[in-house]
C-alpha cells in the first residue's frame, strides 16, 4: 500500500489482512485505481468495496461472537485469485455479512468452527444452524478471463475483446457460454476462430 489518509485508512481491514500476501482484496489497495469511467478515480481508502468490508469487520469485532478468530484466520489465508477461488472468498464474505446483520439485530450467534452449518443460533435450549451460500453469475468478465486463460495455456495471444449491444448481460446462458468457448478453444486442440458474433438472449433469473 503506497498511500496514507489522515482521516482514516480502514484500520480493521488492514489488521485482518496483516501478513497476507496475495489476497482477493489486494487489487483494490492501489492509490488512484480508476473506476468504471476513466475520469473517475477512487482512492483505496474510499473504495466502496473496501469500505463495506471495513464496516462489516468493525461490527463483528464489536460483537465478538465465538469463532470470530477462526474466521479472521480464514480471511487472511485466501490467496487463490482464480474464478473458483474468488467464489469461495465471496461465500466467506457472505457468512461475515450475515453475522453482521445478526449482531446488529441483537440475535445471539456463533461461527461454527466444526463440520456443519456456518452459523449457530441459540434460542433457549434449542440450537439452530444456518448454512450460507453465494452464487456469482457467470458474466462477460468471467467469459473474458476464461478465454484469456485458455489462450495463454495454448501459447496464443491472450488479448480478448468482447462487445455487447446494447448493454452487457448480468449472466450468460450456459449453452451459449460453452459454445463460445468451444469456438475459440476447441476441445480437440485444433485452432479456433479469432472472431465470433453471437446473438442470444441473456440467462433468465431463477
Amino acid at each position: 500500500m503506497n498511500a496514507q489518509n489522515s482521516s482514516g485508512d480502514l484500520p480493521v481491514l488492514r489488521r485482518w489482512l496483516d501478513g497476507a500476501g496475495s489476497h482477493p482484496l489486494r487489487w483494490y489497495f492501489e492509490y488512484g485505481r480508476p473506476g468504471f469511467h476513466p475520469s473517475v478515480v477512487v482512492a483505496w481508502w474510499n473504495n466502496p468495496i473496501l469500505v463495506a468490508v471495513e464496516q462489516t469487520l468493525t461490527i463483528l469485532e464489536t460483537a465478538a461472537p465465538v469463532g470470530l478468530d477462526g474466521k479472521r484466520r480464514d480471511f487472511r489465508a485466501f490467496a487463490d485469485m482464480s474464478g473458483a477461488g474468488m467464489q469461495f472468498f465471496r461465500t466467506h464474505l457472505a457468512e461475515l455479512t450475515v453475522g453482521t446483520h445478526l449482531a446488529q439485530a441483537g440475535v445471539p450467534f456463533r461461527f461454527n468452527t466444526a463440520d456443519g452449518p456456518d452459523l449457530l443460533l441459540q434460542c433457549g435450549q434449542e440450537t439452530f444452524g444456518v448454512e450460507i451460500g453465494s452464487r456469482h453469475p457467470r458474466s462477460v468478465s468471467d467469459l473474458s478471463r476464461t478465454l484469456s486463460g485458455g489462450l495463454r495455456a495454448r501459447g496464443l495471444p491472450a488479448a480478448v475483446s468482447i462487445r455487447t449491444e446494447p448493454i452487457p448481460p448480468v449472466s450468460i446462458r450456459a449453452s451459449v457460454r460453452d459454445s463460445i468457448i468451444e469456438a475459440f478453444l476447441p476441445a480437440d486442440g485444433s485452432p479456433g476462430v479469432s472472431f465470433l458474433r453471437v446473438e442470444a438472449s441473456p440467462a433468465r433469473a431463477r
Side-chain angles (χ1 to χ4, degrees):
M1 303 174 193
N2 53 11
Q4 294 292 327
N5 175 24
S6 60
S7 64
D9 58 357
L10 312 178
V12 179
L13 175 57
R14 286 168 64 94
R15 287 201 304 272
W16 277 55
L17 287 174
D18 185 36
S22 176
H23 192 276
L25 292 179
R26 188 65 68 186
W27 184 87
Y28 299 101
F29 277 98
E30 293 186 22
Y31 179 77
R33 167 66 66 182
F36 182 78
H37 298 285
S39 60
V40 178
V41 177
V42 179
W44 58 262
W45 55 75
N46 286 326
N47 183 284
I49 294 175
L50 297 181
V51 169
V53 175
E54 170 75 13
Q55 293 173 340
T56 295
L57 302 183
T58 299
I59 292 171
L60 288 176
E61 287 208 342
T62 301
V66 172
L68 185 60
D69 287 343
K71 288 299 177 183
R72 187 183 295 108
R73 287 192 296 271
D74 292 343
F75 184 95
R76 186 177 293 122
F78 281 100
D80 185 358
M81 303 297 290
S82 69
M86 292 295 290
Q87 176 63 22
F88 195 38
F89 180 66
R90 291 187 190 99
T91 300
H92 183 78
L93 279 182
E95 295 173 16
L96 299 178
T97 302
V98 173
T100 297
H101 290 302
L102 292 173
Q104 289 183 306
V107 178
F109 77 97
R110 66 182 187 272
F111 289 108
N112 187 11
T113 57
D115 293 336
D118 300 306
L119 303 175
L120 298 175
L121 283 64
Q122 196 70 37
C123 183
Q125 299 299 316
E126 298 291 333
T127 300
F128 298 91
V130 180
E131 183 70 24
I132 309 299
S134 175
R135 186 179 68 175
H136 181 65
R138 306 181 82 175
S139 61
V140 169
S141 59
D142 178 80
L143 174 62
S144 178
R145 288 192 296 270
T146 300
L147 292 175
S148 296
L151 291 170
R152 282 194 298 271
R154 297 188 180 197
L156 299 172
V160 175
S161 176
I162 301 178
R163 292 188 299 171
T164 60
E165 298 176 3
I167 59 176
V170 173
S171 183
I172 305 172
R173 292 180 185 274
S175 59
V176 174
R177 184 178 184 279
D178 292 345
S179 67
I180 294 173
I181 294 173
E182 173 63 22
F184 284 93
L185 303 167
D188 61 6
S190 62
V193 302
S194 58
F195 174 83
L196 184 67
R197 181 179 180 85
V198 177
E199 294 185 13
S201 300
R204 291 179 178 271
R206 295 181 178 179

